[in-house]
Amino acid sequence: MLKRLTLALTVLLAAPIASADTFVFTAIPDEDETRLQQRFQNVADYLEQQLEVDVRFVPVKSYAAAVTAFRNNQVQLAWFGGLSGVQARARVPDSRALAQGVEDAEFMTYFIAHQSTGLETGEGLSDRMRDMTFTFGSKGSTSGRLMPEYYLREAFGQPPEEVFSRVGFSGNHSRTISLVASGAYDLGAVNYTVWENEVEAGNIDTDQVEVVWKTPNYPDYQWTIRGDVDERFGTGFADRVQQALLNMEDAELLESFPRSGFIPASNDDYAIIESVGKELDLID
Amino acid sequence: MWHSATARLSLGFVALAILCLGIADLSITAHAPWHELGRLVQGLVQPDVSAVDHLWVALLRTLAFAFVGVGLGATAGFLLALIFHSRLVRSICAFVRAIHELFWALIFLQFFGLHPLTGVLAIALPYAGVFAKVFAEILEETDPLPEQVLPAGSGRLSTLAFTRLREAWPHLVSYTSYRLECGLRSSAVLGFVGMPTLGFYLESAFAQGHYDTVGALLLLFYALIASLRLWVRPLLVPVYLVVAPFCLGSGLPIVWSNVSRFFSEDIVPSPLRHGEGLSGLVGWLGDIMISEALPGIWHTLVLSQIALVLTGLLALALYPLVSRHFFQGRGWHGRWAVAGRQQAGARVPGNRLTHLLGHGLLVVMRSTPEYLLAFILLQLWGPSMLPAVVALAIHNGGIIAHLVGRRSNEVRLRPDAPHGLVRYAYELTPRLYGPFLALLFYRWEIIMRETAILGILGITTLGFYVDSAIQEIRFDRAMVLILITALLNIGVDVLARHLRARLRLRHTANCEP
């Protein structure tokens, strides 16, 4: 049995798994994850047509997994969040941010509260919040963790664990909304596009949960590409990828992100995210 | 009863758990859970698979990872069992099994990436450690006489094959088949970190609140586990094992330079990487110990102590559901009441149904990921240790009740044995209490590992900090914390073994959860 297994495993390892010149991309699992494969396959088809190379999309389960796959050169292009993009570019020399969504230049986090807290719409970060329960989204999220934690520390002069009686990590934005709507947590921090989409879709009972504060703007999601793609796919390849992304106008494709369009971005646009990440000791 | 060491130990554990209850935060705070829970229940009773892109592929992958992982684990474990007398081998096995499959997967993801090898090794490695230990114990318990009467000069291999192995074979097979069920659960759960198994889609659907899809995937998984005996047949297993490696899917190619980078760079403590020398390292380690490891250990211990005792109570209450001494045969007098279910005067046909329902309940309890249970209970009760404790107890109580129930079927009662509650309290439970405790002690360590998943509740166990370090892509920190977790698990394992030895709880196959 052992022999057979070893043999099979050898075959499995030796088999050419993906052709060497397949261009692979991924996206952090932040928006609607269901049918991700199908929706992003359309994006892959679009890029394949524009770039004239084989393009493949692989789904990942966490921000860290997206960064790791990028760093390990298993994917060459990724749709990152602000923080994960900074983490990724710090680990891959010459990698660069290519494009961001129109909305990403001025992104926001909403602080939401359950009605039983008695907090009012637009109340801001107030001392009445002390000793309530609070949930972030994913630990590696810019809008669900990094920026809200930064503003909380700024407002209260203390880490969140000392301000609130309990600090949880719901795992993602939809779950943050669901947990605050049920009153399981008093307060939560959520990506504003996710909130707006859910409200529009009628999934939120706005009598139960409301927005108590909107953070100032900061830059968020962006496309980042590895520095060695020109070497592998031909001179000027990264520029062609950038052009293809900027030219993406099909509403159905943009819906996957969901953004209204893409605009150019550079590494420097995210300097603020990097310095906040260092301040909160989330990056070295 | 105070003279019995077993009773004193049990009461000691309960007392300790009650003490922990005083320390633990078990408050209930949720305000309006019914809307969200209503959606959840509605989804579960109206399952819909149409939203999953490649359902059958996911099912195939779940089976393939389980077969290859358990197959490799059993093979390696068997070989290791033959040299298990070596202290080095024993220590290595204790170490690899002290780390949760999910953590192994997260480590392998760093250098193999999304390649099938990541999932296969994440199952095979810890399972090999468990198999080695259990197989060695099974072989040790065989009768040494046949070996002694063999003529001198018999080959080692044929000696083994015709003496100990022959006698131990049924136990080895029975244990391996039980581990296959665990392997299926592990395989599904690996989807949570990106392997293409059922858990991948389950997590996605669950994250977005698509409860109809969650319901469909869960039902499919329950059916898979419940029907295991129907499709895992001795003659078919070799076929499955040969086919499975080819059904793992292709994933992404491994870049071997990442492997060396992981060991030479990623896991090297950052003060050493930045040339801060030994003093830097000491400060760094001290910081991790004080701010993360020590509070993490404390919360982990408090939480697992309460969960352990609740698991035990639940298992004792539920094992009759799958025991033939209660819900099958003509001895049934209908005086039995369990889990709020009052059965009056049911006869044989009804018993059959009750038996199936009992099995069904335990399948659901042990096959629903604790993470999901914790989330549902969090909606009900708000964030505290309470949802964690109950989720862990439901999951693990389901497993132990299943194993104790199975064990009870080996007990033969006198024809004039009492029935109903008397049979439960004075006949069966006392006889099964030893194996029950042995099982619970084995599970102790596992419950501790499982506390890792509870970041959503805002409970900072060791696993919470491991997860944070991994999310921050700081593998040096993650490795230190994983090592501490492993040491804690080994410590609990040693203590449990010591307690088992003191109480003379005999180990038999099927005991290790």
Side-chain angles (χ1 to χ4, degrees), chain B residues 192-207:
Chain B
F192 290 2
V193 294
M195 292 293 112
T197 58
L198 281 175
F200 188 97
Y201 301 96
L202 186 64
E203 210 270 343
S204 299
F206 182 58

Side-chain angles (χ1 to χ4, degrees), chain A residues 2 12 17 33 35 37-38 61 71-72 74 91 139 166-167 169 172 174-175 178 182 184-185 281 284, chain B residues 25 32 36 50 110 112-113 200 204 207 245 250 253 258 261 266 371 379 383 456 458 464 467-468 473-474:
Chain A
L2 178 67
L12 182 114
I17 290 154
E33 282 177 64
R35 301 209 160 249
Q37 184 74 48
Q38 199 183 40
K61 269 290 167 202
R71 176 191 198 189
N72 285 355
Q74 290 186 314
R91 286 169 173 81
K139 285 173 184 168
R166 191 171 288 282
V167 176
F169 291 89
N172 72 19
S174 312
R175 217 137 55 190
S178 146
S182 73
Y185 279 97
D281 191 32
D284 285 321
Chain B
D25 167 16
E36 192 67 22
S50 60
Q110 290 309 304
F112 293 144
F200 188 97
S204 299
S250 57
N258 293 326
R261 188 209 58 213
D266 293 6
Y371 186 73
Q379 290 280 16
I456 192 172
F464 173 89
D467 179 59
S468 295
I473 318 175
R474 286 169 163 160

Side-chain angles (χ1 to χ4, degrees), chain B residues 185-234:
Chain B
R185 278 199 297 265
S186 302
S187 168
V189 167
L190 287 182
F192 290 2
V193 294
M195 292 293 112
T197 58
L198 281 175
F200 188 97
Y201 301 96
L202 186 64
E203 210 270 343
S204 299
F206 182 58
Q208 304 299 323
H210 296 229
Y211 298 125
D212 46 355
T213 310
V214 173
L217 290 169
L218 277 179
L219 286 178
L220 190 65
F221 190 56
Y222 298 153
L224 195 68
I225 298 284
S227 64
L228 209 60
R229 282 189 184 183
L230 300 177
W231 52 270
V232 178
R233 295 283 181 187

Side-chain angles (χ1 to χ4, degrees), chain B residues 339-460:
Chain B
R341 221 187 293 193
Q342 192 82 37
Q343 294 286 334
R347 284 280 159 188
V348 179
N351 288 342
R352 176 102 191 113
L353 184 70
T354 324
H355 189 69
L356 277 177
L357 282 177
H359 264 294
L361 176 70
L362 292 191
V363 166
V364 168
M365 282 173 67
R366 67 181 193 266
S367 314
T368 310
E370 313 87 304
Y371 186 73
L372 228 86
L373 291 171
F375 177 79
I376 294 170
L377 297 171
L378 164 64
Q379 290 280 16
L380 262 180
W381 299 327
S384 69
M385 276 201 184
L386 190 62
V389 167
V390 177
L392 289 171
I394 289 177
H395 178 75
N396 293 294
I399 291 175
I400 299 184
H402 165 70
L403 293 172
V404 174
R406 232 166 67 159
R407 181 64 185 259
S408 79
N409 293 338
E410 291 166 18
V411 175
R412 283 213 193 140
L413 294 178
R414 286 161 45 148
D416 62 346
H419 296 291
L421 205 55
V422 180
R423 171 180 290 191
Y424 173 77
Y426 293 100
E427 274 286 338
L428 269 176
T429 305
R431 291 197 198 188
L432 294 167
Y433 200 74
F436 158 76
L437 268 191
L439 282 165
L440 196 62
F441 285 153
Y442 277 119
R443 212 64 209 173
W444 192 355
E445 180 201 336
I446 295 176
I447 290 175
M448 248 172 52
R449 275 189 260 152
E450 286 173 346
T451 58
I453 48 149
L454 301 165
I456 192 172
L457 302 173
I459 299 170
T460 49

Side-chain angles (χ1 to χ4, degrees), chain A residues 115-136:
Chain A
Q115 52 86 12
S116 67
T117 56
L119 296 170
E120 279 149 40
T121 309
E123 165 147 352
L125 299 182
S126 74
D127 263 339
R128 292 210 287 161
M129 289 178 174
R130 281 183 188 275
D131 292 327
M132 289 183 179
T133 55
F134 176 87
T135 183
F136 287 114

Side-chain angles (χ1 to χ4, degrees), chain B residues 3 180 208 244 321-322 394 447 480 509:
Chain B
H3 299 296
L180 185 64
Q208 304 299 323
L321 284 179
V322 289
I394 289 177
I447 290 175
V480 171

Side-chain angles (χ1 to χ4, degrees), chain A residues 163-237:
Chain A
V163 176
F164 302 112
S165 64
R166 191 171 288 282
V167 176
F169 291 89
S170 72
N172 72 19
H173 302 298
S174 312
R175 217 137 55 190
T176 301
I177 298 174
S178 146
L179 286 170
V180 179
S182 73
Y185 279 97
D186 295 325
L187 300 162
V190 64
N191 172 325
Y192 89 101
T193 59
V194 174
W195 171 267
E196 303 279 359
N197 284 343
E198 296 271 312
V199 169
E200 206 169 305
N203 292 338
I204 298 176
D205 180 357
T206 41
D207 291 336
Q208 290 297 317
V209 53
E210 64 208 331
V211 177
V212 290
W213 190 55
K214 300 175 179 178
T215 63
N217 294 135
Y218 55 84
D220 206 341
Y221 300 72
Q222 87 295 147
W223 286 103
T224 291
I225 197 164
R226 284 181 62 93
D228 52 10
V229 287
D230 284 6
E231 215 171 286
R232 187 160 155 197
F233 296 95
T235 321
F237 186 78

